[in-house]
Amino acid sequence: MTKKELTKEQLLNYIAYFLISASILFTTFLLANNKMIVNFFSDSENKSFDYRQSLLVKHRHLKPSQDIVIIAIDDGSYEYILDRYGEWPISRGVYSKIIDRIEQDRPKAVIFDLMFIKSFKSDAKSDALLASTMGKYNNVYTAINFDNQSADVRTPVKLPDNLSVRLNNQSKKVDIERNFGFSNCRSIISEVYNTTTKIGMININRSEDGIIRQVPVLAYYNGQYYPHLTLLAGNEILNNGKEIKEYTIDKHSNLLLAGDYKLPLTESGEAVLNWYGTSMYTYKNIPFHKLIKSIEGDKSIEHYDFKDKIVYIGTTASSLFDTKSVPIDKIYPGVEIHATYMNNLLDKSFIRKSGTVTNALIIFLLVITVTFIVFNSTSVVFATTSTVLLSSAYYLASYYVMSFYNLWIEVVNPLFVILVTFAVSYLAKYLLKSRDFEHQYKLATTDGLTELYNHRYFQDMLRKQIESARRYEQEFSLIILDIDFFKNFNDTYGHQVGDAVLRTVAYILKKNTRATDYVCRYGGEEMSIILPQTSKEEAMINAKRICDEVAKTPLKVSNGEECHITISLGVSTYPYDGETPQKIIEYADKALYYAKNHGRNQVGEDETNG
């Protein structure tokens, strides 16, 4: 193979690479606009995230903070509460005692994952006691919840202005109002509103498959923004207890927190959680009833130290219906989700999703790599194995990227693209090889000047026609022709005109034969036509028509001068004029020379029949 041919082959490969890449990217764009397909790939990608998170948890990628403690209203505590107090919810005075007990140890925060709505017994005294106790401390937080309940069912309340925060949203992608805008609020008792501003919302949205992977940062209600309970508490902890009343989302969709911490947000205004444990009690759980007994002086209960702890108080009892499904577990207490949220804030370990540009670049590189593997592999097994290894390596890389950089790069779309690219590349390679084979075959079987079949092809086809005709007891004919006075064209006008004469005659032959006929350059100025399933009479008619067509077709030469071409032809038919290639050709040759010896420009006959 010459250097020039190698360059042409490389150019064709580069063009193939480009076309394959463009077609796959275009197909990806079309698929991205089909909602059903988008949902399928989105759900699959979420499942791949869950699997990676499960692996990370299994290998203890992140260690849960020892500073987070949960006072859990578990199944045992719930039974104890019903036996002792006779109802749920219990009197708010109990929580007041718990707050005072915990605050003795100077914790960083006490956070209630509980809604203090109107008491069943309208116990105003206990409500007031709880509110005043919360007001004594600057680190006790409690919850409200927003929804879109009809005003006919519940009249929307106006929340105190000091609960809201200002938002400076510089991102063009994050839209809090659209994704977390609410028309109603499930309010808590007014006594709490009047004594503390440490109130945050506890809304959490599930994905379409019911799994909680993300948590919101802010909610929009009545023209105001309200922080999530854990974000409110966590950001103030990071700010050494300083109250934060303004939040900023930068142009890169990061929520700016204390200490130059940038919390990455999705377009829905949520943060993707990094998980720590696969079951309940990821964090230290203190049963609610044991803490009550400890407060009441039960010496059999161990002493609990809450110094510098972040204490969550919430339900884990299955009968209280506050369990969720998360990537690493089907049953996960809501309060532990909030604890995980807080842990991510302390660790700065939220997951960042790769952007559109990054995903497109990854897909492009994978397309190029797979295409290169396929086009440069001589073995299908090698190409397949290499592609499978590439897919495995990419998935493994996505796991380690999440492990070391808390980055969620897409897996499902790239792996799908690898599969499509592999299939399309092999199809393209097959088509290119077919084209190359056809080109090489054409070079091997055709004459470069006239583009007729060459002498070798003529001999092969003549043998095949004899075999076929003998097997099926059919006849076929052969026409051999010669250009009259061809040497004179070369001598008079030059070899270029001689070549033009050959091309003109070849064109007339192809134009006046059937698609099933084989027109060949026999040698020099001689040409031949094999006519399958054609009698002597039909062949003679065809030969005379071709002879007349050539004679009446002028050929323009230099200076506008025209010259006329004539041909002499001979015809033979199998099996009457011979049953071997040599005999068939010999008979047609004799007829051709008969035509030349009797004036040319005609179809001759064998002298033995003349």
Side-chain angles (χ1 to χ4, degrees):
M1 184 176 288
T2 66
K3 185 176 181 180
K4 184 176 181 181
E5 289 173 331
L6 182 62
T7 303
K8 287 175 64 178
E9 182 179 335
Q10 289 175 333
L11 179 61
L12 286 173
N13 285 344
Y14 292 146
I15 293 173
Y17 296 159
F18 172 77
L19 292 177
I20 291 170
S21 301
S23 64
I24 291 174
L25 291 175
F26 180 70
T27 302
T28 303
F29 173 78
L30 291 180
L31 292 177
N33 288 279
N34 185 299
K35 186 175 180 180
M36 184 177 70
I37 294 175
V38 168
N39 289 339
F40 170 77
F41 279 96
S42 177
D43 290 345
S44 300
E45 183 60 39
N46 284 336
K47 295 301 181 186
S48 79
F49 170 80
D50 297 349
Y51 181 67
R52 280 175 278 176
Q53 280 288 307
S54 296
L55 289 177
L56 290 173
V57 166
K58 182 179 180 181
H59 293 95
R60 306 300 293 174
H61 162 60
L62 295 176
K63 304 294 184 183
S65 173
Q66 299 302 307
D67 292 332
I68 298 176
V69 176
I70 296 174
I71 298 176
I73 304 172
D74 54 13
D75 289 307
S77 296
Y78 182 57
E79 185 175 343
Y80 174 84
I81 287 169
L82 293 179
D83 287 343
R84 176 160 183 184
Y85 301 104
E87 66 174 353
W88 174 263
I90 58 175
S91 170
R92 276 63 186 271
V94 177
Y95 297 116
S96 179
K97 292 179 182 179
I98 288 176
I99 294 172
D100 283 332
R101 163 63 186 88
I102 297 171
E103 290 290 350
Q104 290 177 8
D105 295 337
R106 298 185 180 277
K108 288 182 179 178
V110 178
I111 306 168
F112 281 93
D113 181 27
L114 295 170
M115 291 281 293
F116 294 118
I117 57 175
K118 184 178 179 181
S119 172
F120 288 162
K121 290 185 177 181
S122 299
D123 188 357
K125 186 177 180 180
S126 292
D127 292 346
L129 178 59
L130 173 63
S132 64
T133 304
M134 286 184 172
K136 285 195 301 183
Y137 307 103
N138 197 38
N139 62 347
V140 179
Y141 300 83
T142 190
I144 56 174
N145 182 264
F146 296 106
D147 57 32
N148 293 305
Q149 184 63 263
S150 170
D152 296 337
V153 176
R154 185 199 315 135
T155 302
V157 298
K158 186 180 186 310
L159 297 175
D161 291 337
N162 59 5
L163 298 186
S164 65
V165 296
R166 295 179 297 277
L167 175 63
N168 175 23
N169 188 356
Q170 301 171 6
S171 172
K172 295 182 179 179
K173 296 180 179 180
V174 178
D175 191 342
I176 302 290
E177 295 181 28
R178 182 170 67 88
N179 296 289
F180 283 92
F182 299 97
S183 62
N184 213 325
C185 173
R186 193 178 182 199
S187 184
I188 59 176
I189 55 178
S190 59
E191 289 86 351
V192 174
Y193 286 138
N194 296 330
T195 57
T196 181
T197 60
K198 309 298 185 180
I199 301 174
M201 64 91 173
I202 54 172
N203 293 74
I204 291 181
N205 280 356
R206 292 176 171 85
S207 300
E208 290 188 3
D209 57 3
I211 307 297
I212 293 175
R213 300 179 180 89
Q214 306 174 162
V215 289
V217 293
L218 298 166
Y220 184 76
Y221 170 70
N222 239 8
Q224 301 291 334
Y225 291 96
Y226 298 89
H228 191 278
L229 175 66
T230 293
L231 178 69
L232 172 66
N235 199 25
E236 291 187 359
I237 290 171
L238 294 173
N239 270 282
N240 298 315
K242 180 182 177 182
E243 189 175 51
I244 307 298
K245 283 298 182 182
E246 182 169 352
Y247 289 83
T248 297
I249 300 175
D250 67 16
K251 63 181 180 179
H252 300 297
S253 301
N254 297 304
L255 181 67
L256 305 183
L257 300 178
D260 297 325
Y261 177 38
K262 296 180 179 181
L263 193 163
L265 299 181
T266 64
E267 292 183 9
S268 62
E270 295 173 281
V272 182
L273 290 176
N274 223 339
W275 299 87
Y276 296 83
T278 57
S279 61
M280 292 176 60
Y281 313 124
T282 301
Y283 302 94
K284 181 177 180 180
N285 274 231
I286 298 174
F288 187 83
H289 71 282
K290 287 189 176 183
L291 183 59
I292 292 175
K293 289 183 177 182
S294 174
I295 292 171
E296 294 177 345
D298 189 336
K299 300 300 183 180
S300 65
I301 305 298
E302 66 174 295
H303 174 74
Y304 301 113
D305 184 5
F306 299 104
K307 182 175 175 54
D308 293 328
K309 303 296 184 184
I310 299 170
V311 183
Y312 274 93
I313 303 173
T315 62
T316 61
S318 56
S319 54
L320 291 176
F321 307 108
D322 191 29
T323 56
K324 326 286 185 184
S325 292
V326 299
I328 53 160
D329 208 333
K330 292 182 179 179
I331 301 176
Y332 208 82
V335 67
E336 294 224 6
I337 295 176
H338 291 291
T340 302
Y341 192 167
M342 177 63 75
N343 210 154
N344 276 202
L345 281 170
L346 300 179
D347 292 348
K348 300 181 180 180
S349 59
F350 286 97
I351 296 292
R352 179 185 295 275
K353 279 188 172 183
S354 57
T356 303
V357 175
T358 301
N359 293 334
L361 180 60
I362 289 173
I363 287 175
F364 177 74
L365 292 175
L366 290 174
V367 168
I368 294 299
T369 303
V370 174
T371 306
F372 179 83
I373 289 172
V374 171
F375 273 78
N376 290 277
S377 299
T378 57
S379 167
V380 176
V381 174
F382 176 80
T384 304
T385 303
S386 299
T387 303
V388 170
L389 289 175
L390 175 65
S391 302
S392 302
Y394 178 77
Y395 193 92
L396 191 62
S398 74
Y399 168 80
Y400 283 110
V401 166
M402 185 175 289
S403 174
F404 291 112
Y405 302 103
N406 297 326
L407 179 62
W408 177 357
I409 59 173
E410 289 190 351
V411 164
V412 175
N413 286 338
L415 292 182
F416 175 75
V417 167
I418 287 176
L419 176 63
V420 172
T421 303
F422 183 79
V424 172
S425 296
Y426 253 107
L427 177 62
K429 184 177 182 180
Y430 172 78
L431 293 175
L432 286 173
K433 282 199 168 184
S434 297
R435 179 206 57 79
D436 188 58
F437 176 78
E438 290 175 1
H439 178 67
Q440 296 297 329
Y441 182 75
K442 184 177 180 181
L443 290 176
T445 59
T446 58
D447 172 63
L449 177 64
T450 62
E451 295 188 351
L452 301 179
Y453 290 117
N454 58 25
H455 184 79
R456 178 180 177 181
Y457 186 86
F458 164 76
Q459 293 289 352
D460 290 341
M461 189 52 60
L462 186 60
R463 284 192 295 272
K464 290 180 180 178
Q465 284 299 317
I466 290 175
E467 291 173 3
S468 177
R470 182 182 296 123
R471 182 181 299 113
Y472 298 106
E473 297 182 354
Q474 296 173 339
E475 55 187 5
F476 75 91
S477 295
L478 170 67
I479 300 175
I480 292 182
L481 61 97
D482 183 82
I483 299 173
D484 297 333
F485 304 112
F486 180 73
K487 187 173 182 300
N488 291 342
F489 287 105
N490 284 331
D491 294 342
T492 304
Y493 302 108
H495 287 282
Q496 288 187 339
V497 173
D499 291 344
V501 169
L502 290 170
R503 286 193 292 267
T504 300
V505 172
Y507 173 76
I508 294 172
L509 294 183
K510 288 189 289 185
K511 187 177 179 182
N512 288 274
T513 52
R514 302 167 300 182
T516 55
D517 297 337
Y518 302 92
V519 184
C520 310
R521 185 176 180 184
Y522 190 74
E525 67 270 24
E526 284 189 310
M527 301 178 190
S528 61
I529 307 170
I530 300 173
L531 301 93
Q533 299 181 26
T534 303
S535 64
K536 173 65 75 71
E537 182 180 358
E538 292 171 328
M540 291 294 290
I541 294 172
N542 286 345
K544 289 176 182 179
R545 184 179 70 252
I546 291 169
C547 182
D548 294 340
E549 192 66 30
V550 171
K552 69 180 184 182
T553 302
L555 175 67
K556 290 184 179 181
V557 292
S558 58
N559 300 321
E561 182 181 352
E562 291 185 349
C563 64
H564 289 272
I565 311 166
T566 61
I567 58 175
S568 299
L569 307 91
V571 177
S572 62
T573 301
Y574 174 90
Y576 312 111
D577 302 325
E579 295 185 358
T580 64
Q582 294 79 8
K583 293 293 183 180
I584 297 294
I585 294 171
E586 182 180 346
Y587 190 96
D589 263 337
K590 289 180 179 179
L592 168 63
Y593 283 108
Y594 181 90
K596 282 189 170 293
N597 293 331
H598 290 78
R600 294 183 171 83
N601 192 25
Q602 60 181 291
V603 181
E605 296 183 0
D606 183 4
E607 291 183 356
T608 59
N609 298 327

